[in-house]
Amino acid sequence: MTSEYYEGEKIVSIDYKNNLFEQAEYDNCRFETCDFSNNKLNNSIFTNCTFVDCNFSLAELSGTTFQQVIFKNCKLLGLQFQQCNTFGLSFTFDNCNIDHASFYLLKIKKTSFKNCQLREVDFSESDLTGSSFHYCDLNQAIFDQTNLEQVDFRDAFNVTLSPNKNKLKKAKFTLINLPGLLTEYDIKIES
């Protein structure tokens, strides 16, 4: 249980690599250019918070709560989001590097990924219903038994997934995405 509570704070340029991050509850706070990399955010609560130009690479998220959180221009390499508290889990990603992260088994409906790099991200068995991947690089992202109903992939690139192993009802694609949907069939498409 967190003991400290912060509301409406603006926290700028803190390097938590040298200062242990304080487990607390943060409500409507803004974090700018903070470095949380390789730190333990375990059991912290972030509600209606915004993170701008922050580095979370390889941070521990066991029991961490993210509710209505915005990540903008952040580095989120290797994060294991499936370790988060799933109650009310919701976030938005804008211009972030989320390579090698995992959203395994998470229900993150209507999540917005915009201008993000999502290389080798694991979305296996997650529910992304109604989410969007606008101008995102999904090179080698894993979609296996994933609910992708109503997901917008029209602006995404390097999308590779099996229509047989995922739910795709009313998902949106463009002709550019077609080769990535047919990879498992070893079909050659020429223009």
Side-chain angles (χ1 to χ4, degrees), residues 63-67 81-90 104-108:
T64 304
T65 300
F66 290 117
Q67 295 177 340
F81 286 100
Q82 76 273 8
Q83 295 176 349
C84 291
N85 178 350
T86 58
F87 181 75
L89 183 66
S90 61
Y104 176 69
L105 275 176
L106 290 180
K107 287 187 178 184
I108 50 172

Side-chain angles (χ1 to χ4, degrees), residues 1-89:
M1 214 56 202
T2 58
S3 57
E4 296 294 321
Y5 177 79
Y6 300 94
E7 183 176 6
E9 299 283 330
K10 184 174 181 181
I11 302 160
V12 180
S13 298
I14 304 258
D15 183 351
Y16 291 105
K17 284 194 290 190
N18 299 318
N19 303 306
L20 189 60
F21 180 76
E22 181 179 9
Q23 176 187 344
E25 183 172 352
Y26 299 88
D27 188 7
N28 202 30
C29 292
R30 183 176 177 90
F31 296 83
E32 295 180 8
T33 62
C34 294
D35 191 345
F36 301 94
S37 62
N38 296 300
N39 214 306
K40 294 180 181 180
L41 304 178
N42 301 338
N43 300 310
S44 294
I45 299 171
F46 300 98
T47 307
N48 296 312
C49 291
T50 301
F51 296 93
V52 179
D53 296 316
C54 294
N55 183 1
F56 285 86
S57 297
L58 299 174
E60 290 184 27
L61 302 176
S62 182
T64 304
T65 300
F66 290 117
Q67 295 177 340
Q68 301 298 317
V69 168
I70 297 170
F71 294 100
K72 186 170 179 124
N73 303 321
C74 291
K75 196 177 198 181
L76 305 152
L77 301 175
L79 292 186
Q80 302 298 305
F81 286 100
Q82 76 273 8
Q83 295 176 349
C84 291
N85 178 350
T86 58
F87 181 75
L89 183 66

Side-chain angles (χ1 to χ4, degrees), residues 97-127:
N97 185 338
I98 316 171
D99 289 352
H100 309 287
S102 177
F103 293 91
Y104 176 69
L105 275 176
L106 290 180
K107 287 187 178 184
I108 50 172
K109 295 179 178 183
K110 297 184 179 178
T111 299
S112 174
F113 297 91
K114 185 177 179 185
N115 297 311
C116 292
Q117 189 170 296
L118 295 145
R119 295 179 186 156
E120 298 183 48
V121 172
D122 187 358
F123 290 106
S124 297
E125 299 183 48
S126 60
D127 185 349

Side-chain angles (χ1 to χ4, degrees), residues 133-146:
F133 292 92
H134 293 297
Y135 304 102
C136 291
D137 182 356
L138 291 161
N139 191 11
Q140 296 184 24
I142 301 166
F143 297 98
D144 186 21
Q145 306 303 316
T146 307

